[in-house]
Amino acid sequence: MGPLRELEPDHIQRSLAVNVGGVTVTASFGGQTDTAALTVTAPVLEAVAITPDDVNAPNRSRPDAIELPQGSTQSLYALYFYSDFPDVPLVAPKTAADTVTWASSGSAVTLAAPLTANSVAATAAAQGSANVTATAGSISDSLAVTVGAAELAELVAVRPSQAFVSVGRTVDFTAVARFTNGATEDVSDDAVTWTSADTNVATIDAAGVATGVAQSLTGVTITATLKSNPASSATATLFVTSDGCSTPLLQSDGATTGVPPPVGI
């Protein structure tokens, strides 16, 4: 019978490295015995990764780069990979010492105070690019962020907010939107869908031009809906007068009301 082969540490570690501590492993065969001391240490951090997906996302992505419109804010989260389960990301570190710190390489992206211990709010402050880095000790991950032009965020108003039109005549409406950089501007009719709450009172075309159909002193609601975000809309009220009234007198223009003197005095 040949000599007993030495125990192979790699096999022991894969088989027994379950709990932290020490153990002596003994192997016996044909009256021969050999031993090995095995010390199991706490899992060590092997890698971190940045994801823009929150903890409820079914499959959290780990992109190398993302694009953001100017003025927008994106939450970024750290994922932790440890030696005990190197393919399973954790949403929090096993020890406080492994918690990442966040940094941005340029003024195009600013970082607010962490939302939690493992996330940060990145704001696209100016057009350009910057790298956002999450670092834990000597381990880090970087995400390239490109900041583009501001985009439409939501509709905030329709101009005019109130209008008067006589039967058969038209009035032009304009949608006003807020952009991701905070600016408020008129938007193209191509960006919105125009509707009338009652086409028997007034109609409106794709260019935002409304036409009076029938008199309505209570008014009809005109709605602009953002095509890129149907949940965002704004409204105005259109009053339709008889066809004899073509030029409305508005108080904002200096018109006043009064009681005419009795006839014959």
Side-chain angles (χ1 to χ4, degrees):
M1 179 182 297
L4 182 68
R5 294 179 60 189
E6 293 182 356
L7 295 175
E8 300 178 10
D10 286 346
H11 295 165
I12 295 172
Q13 185 179 19
R14 285 198 296 268
S15 301
L16 301 177
V18 176
N19 297 313
V20 175
V23 65
T24 298
V25 180
T26 302
S28 298
F29 180 77
Q32 299 184 62
T33 301
D34 192 16
T35 62
L38 176 66
T39 300
V40 180
T41 60
V44 295
L45 182 65
E46 294 188 334
V48 295
I50 299 174
T51 176
D53 305 323
D54 65 30
V55 294
N56 296 317
N59 296 301
R60 305 183 79 183
S61 62
R62 287 175 274 168
D64 294 324
I66 61 172
E67 297 182 1
L68 298 175
Q70 183 183 6
S72 65
T73 297
Q74 173 68 57
S75 297
L76 300 175
Y77 305 85
L79 299 176
Y80 300 83
F81 297 84
Y82 282 86
S83 57
D84 52 348
F85 295 101
D87 297 325
V88 180
L90 301 181
V91 298
K94 288 179 177 288
T95 65
D98 290 339
T99 302
V100 299
T101 57
W102 298 89
S104 172
S105 66
S107 58
V109 179
T110 59
L111 304 180
L115 302 175
T116 67
N118 307 298
S119 64
V120 72
T123 298
Q127 293 188 50
S129 60
N131 292 326
V132 175
T133 303
T135 303
S138 62
I139 299 171
S140 65
D141 186 36
S142 184
L143 177 68
V145 181
T146 300
V147 180
E151 296 179 355
L152 277 171
E154 61 179 350
L155 292 182
V156 295
V158 170
R159 295 190 300 106
S161 60
Q162 287 189 349
F164 295 81
V165 68
S166 58
V167 173
R169 293 182 177 269
T170 61
V171 60
D172 191 9
F173 287 96
T174 301
V176 183
R178 182 180 63 80
F179 287 72
T180 52
N181 63 356
T184 301
E185 300 177 11
D186 294 351
V187 296
S188 166
D189 291 312
D190 293 337
V192 299
T193 300
W194 291 101
T195 57
S196 168
D198 189 348
T199 56
N200 292 319
V201 174
T203 60
I204 189 165
D205 62 20
V209 177
T211 301
V213 176
Q215 183 176 359
S216 174
L217 299 181
T218 58
V220 61
T221 300
I222 300 298
T223 302
T225 303
L226 194 59
K227 290 181 179 178
S228 61
N229 179 16
S232 179
S233 62
T235 63
T237 303
L238 176 62
F239 297 93
V240 181
T241 63
S242 65
D243 54 10
C245 178
S246 60
T247 305
L249 298 178
L250 304 179
Q251 187 175 6
S252 60
D253 293 331
T256 59
T257 59
V259 179
V263 177
I265 296 180

